[in-house]
Amino acid sequence: MLYNYNVRYMNYLDDYIIFLKTEKKLGVNSITSYEFDLDSFFKFFTLDVVNCTKNDILGYIGSLKGSSVSTINRHISSLKGYFNYLLENNYIRVNPMEDISILKKSKLLPKYLSISEVDNLLNIKLVTPFDYRNKAMLELMYGTGLRVSELVKLKYSNIDFENSLVRVTGKGKKDRIIPMGEVCAYYLKIYLSEYRNKLLKRNTYDEVFLNNHGKPITRQGFNFILENIKESAGITKTLTPHVLRHSFATHLLEGGADIRSIQEMLGHENISTTNIYTEVVNDVLKENYLGFHPRARKDS
């Protein structure tokens, strides 16, 4: 319930809440959120709401420093709705929220492994059929950027060794063809020709990668294997199948690959999804420049 910090204009708040309930048809949780945000504002701004200015609003937003961007944006949105209501109903003549925009959220750049970390991860000691399977899986994941869902569904018929290509069906049941490097193809051939049948036992599955029961490996099974290999490799970063996919794309771009080609290989419908990797690479280039160029910093 809103506190009576601005007695003269509390009826506007009551009217606004009724408006949200009856006209906007908002639910209980949304109404409670609006009440909380407006209550917070009127604890800060105790003057006549008609005299509220843009500077008052900016001062209030500044008082929220330390809150998350999402929380601050929620408060801004609540105030926008409230002051728009006051303006439309002629309770105020000037809307102090008119030029106030929500804050931009910082983009979460994809996490990826360095090339040396990938080398450590793929340096699997090959002894058992499971070792060869794991080596083939990780080389394929890193070498083609497959999603884990695509990896576990991969069948022998999807692999074209003659032309070094892999065909997968991705999101939206869209097929795509991805080139396969020599290293990846080499270990995949060894696994298929010498070790897969030992894992298959008496089963008759077409999927390439099998678990210790001779059945197709699951996403959960792959994640478990990846985590164990990560620990053995001494990698401290969070490592998921998607981090391998991000590493594939980032290292390609660092090596000079065309962004459109990477989009095709990843199976992104929109180029904007792939463009996030250019920001990763730009950050890496900037760090290298600042770290190694003799005139990158004024005090160097």
Side-chain angles (χ1 to χ4, degrees):
M1 179 62 66
L2 291 164
Y3 296 106
N4 197 346
Y5 293 102
N6 192 333
V7 176
R8 183 177 174 186
Y9 288 89
M10 278 303 295
N11 59 318
Y12 296 163
L13 291 171
D14 292 338
D15 291 345
Y16 180 57
I17 297 302
I18 292 172
F19 167 77
L20 294 178
K21 292 177 181 177
T22 58
E23 300 295 327
K24 291 293 186 179
K25 307 291 185 184
L26 297 185
V28 174
N29 290 339
S30 296
I31 296 294
T32 301
S33 179
Y34 272 103
E35 288 182 328
F36 177 85
D37 294 345
L38 292 173
D39 178 48
S40 174
F41 172 69
F42 280 107
K43 286 179 181 177
F44 175 86
F45 182 79
T46 59
L47 302 178
D48 194 324
V49 73
V50 169
N51 297 322
C52 184
T53 66
K54 178 181 178 180
N55 285 338
D56 293 321
I57 298 296
L58 292 176
Y60 172 65
I61 294 173
S63 73
L64 299 174
K65 185 178 180 181
S67 301
S68 68
V69 173
S70 296
T71 297
I72 295 173
N73 283 340
R74 194 196 70 221
H75 280 263
I76 293 174
S77 178
S78 295
L79 289 174
K80 275 184 175 291
Y82 173 64
F83 279 102
N84 284 339
Y85 171 81
L86 294 183
L87 187 68
E88 290 171 1
N89 287 275
N90 298 316
Y91 295 140
I92 60 174
R93 293 183 179 181
V94 178
N95 187 349
M97 295 297 300
E98 185 174 358
D99 297 322
I100 304 292
S101 301
I102 63 172
L103 305 181
K104 290 185 178 180
K105 292 184 179 181
S106 57
K107 293 183 178 178
L108 295 176
L109 298 181
K111 295 179 180 179
Y112 67 99
L113 299 180
S114 67
I115 293 177
S116 62
E117 287 171 328
V118 171
D119 288 340
N120 288 338
L121 184 72
L122 297 179
N123 187 25
I124 299 171
K125 187 177 181 180
L126 301 175
V127 178
T128 70
F130 298 111
D131 296 329
Y132 282 92
R133 177 204 61 190
N134 296 345
K135 174 72 170 174
M137 284 196 301
L138 295 192
E139 289 285 358
L140 185 61
M141 285 283 283
Y142 173 66
T144 60
L146 293 185
R147 299 178 178 94
V148 65
S149 58
E150 297 165 346
L151 179 84
V152 298
K153 294 177 183 176
L154 189 71
K155 298 181 179 180
Y156 189 87
S157 58
N158 297 134
I159 303 170
D160 180 355
F161 283 111
E162 184 176 349
N163 296 298
S164 296
L165 299 171
V166 177
R167 187 181 75 253
V168 295
T169 301
K171 289 185 176 180
K173 296 184 178 180
K174 291 184 178 179
D175 291 339
R176 72 181 190 279
I177 297 174
I178 312 165
M180 181 171 50
E182 291 181 2
V183 176
C184 171
Y186 174 78
Y187 286 104
L188 194 53
K189 279 182 180 178
I190 292 178
Y191 164 70
L192 287 172
S193 63
E194 299 181 29
Y195 297 100
R196 182 179 179 275
N197 282 340
K198 295 179 181 179
L199 299 180
L200 189 59
K201 301 177 181 178
R202 297 182 180 179
N203 298 317
T204 55
Y205 294 104
D206 295 327
E207 283 78 7
V208 171
F209 297 109
L210 308 172
N211 61 24
N212 59 331
H213 300 294
K215 298 179 180 180
I217 200 164
T218 63
R219 295 176 60 163
Q220 293 80 6
F222 178 83
N223 289 336
F224 180 77
I225 292 167
L226 182 61
E227 185 64 23
N228 285 338
I229 296 174
K230 167 201 157 181
E231 291 181 4
S232 297
I235 296 172
T236 57
K237 289 181 180 176
T238 298
L239 179 57
T240 66
H242 231 64
V243 169
L244 279 178
R245 182 169 157 88
H246 293 325
S247 303
F248 160 81
T250 302
H251 296 164
L252 271 178
L253 198 57
E254 284 179 338
D258 174 68
I259 191 69
R260 289 287 181 182
S261 299
I262 296 174
Q263 178 192 6
E264 290 293 325
M265 286 184 276
L266 290 174
H268 287 163
E269 186 171 344
N270 196 319
I271 189 65
S272 63
T273 307
T274 317
N275 275 333
I276 191 69
Y277 294 107
T278 64
E279 298 191 30
V280 174
V281 173
N282 287 339
D283 282 353
V284 172
L285 292 175
K286 184 177 180 181
E287 287 177 10
N288 287 333
Y289 175 79
L290 293 175
F292 299 108
H293 195 282
R295 297 182 68 82
R297 300 185 187 276
K298 189 176 179 181
D299 55 354
S300 59

